[in-house]
Amino acid sequence: MAKHLTLLVMLALAASMVLPRHALCEAAAITPLPVREIAPGVYAHQAPVTEMNAASGGDIANIGFIVGDDAVAVIDTGGALIIGERLKKAIEAVTSKPIRYVINTHEHPDHIFGNAAFVAPGVTFVGHRNLPREMAQRGPEYLATFRRTMGEDLIKGVKLVPPTLLVGTDKDVYLDLGHRVLDLRAWPPMHTDCDVTIFDEKTATLFTGDLVFLQHVPVIDASVLGWLKAMPALAKIPAKLAIPGHGAIGVDWPQALAAEKTYFTKLTQDLRGFLAQGADINTAAKKAAQSEAGKWQLFWVYNPRNATAGYAEIEWQ
Amino acid sequence: MRGWHGIAALAAAVAASFLILASPARAANATPEENWKNLADALFPHQTLTEDGTIIKLGTPLAAEDAALVPVTLHMNDTDPNLPANDPRRVKKITLVIDENPSPVAAVFELGPNAGVTKIETRVRVNQNTKVHAVAETVGGKLYVSESFVAAAGGCSAPSGDTDTADGPPLGTIRVREIKPEYVSNDARRKEAVVMIKHPNNSGMQMDQETHLYIPARYVDSLRVTQGDTLIFAMTGGISISEDPNFRFDYISNGSGKMDVTASDSKGAKFAKNAAIEPAM
Ligand SMILES: [Zn+2]
């Protein structure tokens, strides 16, 4: 940490001495995203727990990168082009090795809107087999929605770059960065229909994407029952530390799963109870999982939606 | 009796699809008020729409929690639940319109004259912030309207949740479930039930995961719920009804413990079940 801060200061000094004034202004416009070295060669940025809007500037999801002997893999690119560009600066401050892979953990805008910052020869975009479909299907709506909530300045330049190297649920994909192999696993519907985890075998560090939420209430965009069902398999990944999609980074594994498991269990129990009583979907949306409210941030933003979708899912059981 | 209903349903389906097709293209710069006026002129030409909450009352959430699954409740004659079949105030038909959706007519409901239905709750997709209208036609031939507004984004193209999972019942599975009596009314004959149909109800804007082509709309275009020869309600549907169409309604039970549900989709598939009403969960 101290080492690359010093490096940044030196770079800044060098720039101020050498570059003409206007070039300095442009260079200064993009500041490196703060990152933490969670394990040797594994860097992550912990974003604040908040929503995608002009105030957050699209910096709401944890993103990072892993440096091998030969190349770098980027894991998610943030919720605006500028966040991707700032992540790239952070990478350049740490290593001169080329970026070979950009992995998107899933389709959500806060994880993929920075993709365009990394489009270059020799860079392969990687994601779940369903990710191209999801991007094509929901992408235009995402752009329209977040143009309204974030403003044109943050959205212009955002391009949805679909992956070309696809991970299917039948078989893991291994990426070799040079004496460092990443194990990419695609999951059945859980948080979304296109979740991928990235496990760094060398340091036993796991990027979970949004399969793990801490502090930020979990958002269920595919299947709460699927999420609960797949959790034992997720817990078996032999990681020591995890970087969740939202909340604190570098947390103990698999303990990081405990909080959301409690939430999902409570939510599904309550929904079953409401269905048994005959309560309608609106009532369930307002009342399910209330005992969890104090444990999570953004609870009132996402819990009613989770409960609505969960009611319709559990109703068929 | 059955044959007559069949013809009526067919006629209704033709009429509904005509209405859907006849919905005027939305002028890009029309205000919500102008858009509704254009829709109302096309759907109910030269007719006056009156507001009267005792005849028809529409309930929607102010903001959609999940735009692909927005609960909508219709209350009909709920101050006089047991109007005789020929009472001029009795609602016989309701058209549900989601003004800003690509295909605004979400559903047309026909109510059985002797079923006493005063409530139907279903779930719809809402594509963007929109006014929603329920227009009821009474036996007396008058039209009544109830209006609501829903804030939402992106319901029509939201992917169906379980395209990948092989678990779950097959397409066309029909279930009927009873709601516990304490949630219903003190009239012992009045029951409440949920009819559920497993169907993706593809909105025609969904993309196939293999081909990346848009899936042509395949949706439940008609549904008929009866007890014996007594019609409870029939629906002709559009593509705005949510995946796994779901209808919760009250009715006067004949006590048989069974319900006949028949449905068809826009690809011509037919689904039917003389379903035992499952006890409350
Ligand atoms: Zn997400």
Side-chain angles (χ1 to χ4, degrees), chain A residues 107 128-130 132-134 136-138 141 145 148 188-189 193 222 229 272 275-283 285 300-301 304-305 308-309 311-312 314-317, chain B residues 61 65-66 69 71 121 123 127 153-154 157-161 163-165 167 169 173 175 177 179-180 183 194 196-198 206-209 212 214 244 246 248 280-281:
Chain A
E107 68 186 294
H128 195 290
R129 187 166 54 199
N130 292 341
R133 172 195 77 189
E134 298 288 317
Q137 198 168 280
R138 286 181 162 196
E141 196 63 45
T145 302
R148 281 196 298 274
D193 288 343
K229 192 169 146 198
R272 287 198 176 94
L275 274 159
Q277 286 169 23
D280 63 21
I281 195 166
N282 272 322
T283 308
W300 300 108
V301 181
R305 183 200 156 130
T308 302
Y311 182 104
I314 290 168
E315 196 172 17
W316 275 95
Q317 280 207 311
Chain B
E65 303 297 355
D66 182 342
L69 211 161
E121 179 187 318
R123 301 165 191 172
N127 204 41
S157 56
S160 68
T163 44
D164 281 353
T165 42
D167 355 347
T173 302
R175 281 176 59 186
R177 185 161 55 80
I179 299 296
K180 277 197 179 155
Y183 264 78
V194 182
M196 306 158 65
I197 305 163
K198 196 77 189 168
Q206 295 183 314
M207 193 165 283
D208 182 85
Q209 65 181 99
H212 290 194
Y214 282 116
D244 298 341
N246 186 300
R248 175 170 170 161
M281 285 170 99

Side-chain angles (χ1 to χ4, degrees), chain A residues 137, chain B residues 60 64 66-72 96-107 122-132 150-163 199-206 215-220 237-245:
Chain A
Q137 198 168 280
Chain B
T60 63
D66 182 342
L69 211 161
V70 181
V72 169
L96 177 63
V97 184
I98 303 167
D99 295 16
E100 306 290 340
N101 268 10
S103 175
V105 178
T122 187
R123 301 165 191 172
V124 297
R125 295 183 169 105
V126 174
N127 204 41
Q128 55 177 301
N129 292 356
T130 184
K131 288 191 176 201
V132 181
V150 179
C156 290
S157 56
S160 68
D162 54 0
T163 44
H199 197 289
N201 237 46
N202 282 321
S203 62
M205 303 173 66
Q206 295 183 314
I215 300 171
R218 181 180 186 181
Y219 56 92
V220 174
I239 58 179
S240 296
I241 299 288
S242 301
E243 177 181 7
D244 298 341

Side-chain angles (χ1 to χ4, degrees), chain A residues 106 108 111 191 210:
Chain A
H106 63 295
H108 284 150
H111 299 259
H191 170 63
D210 282 1

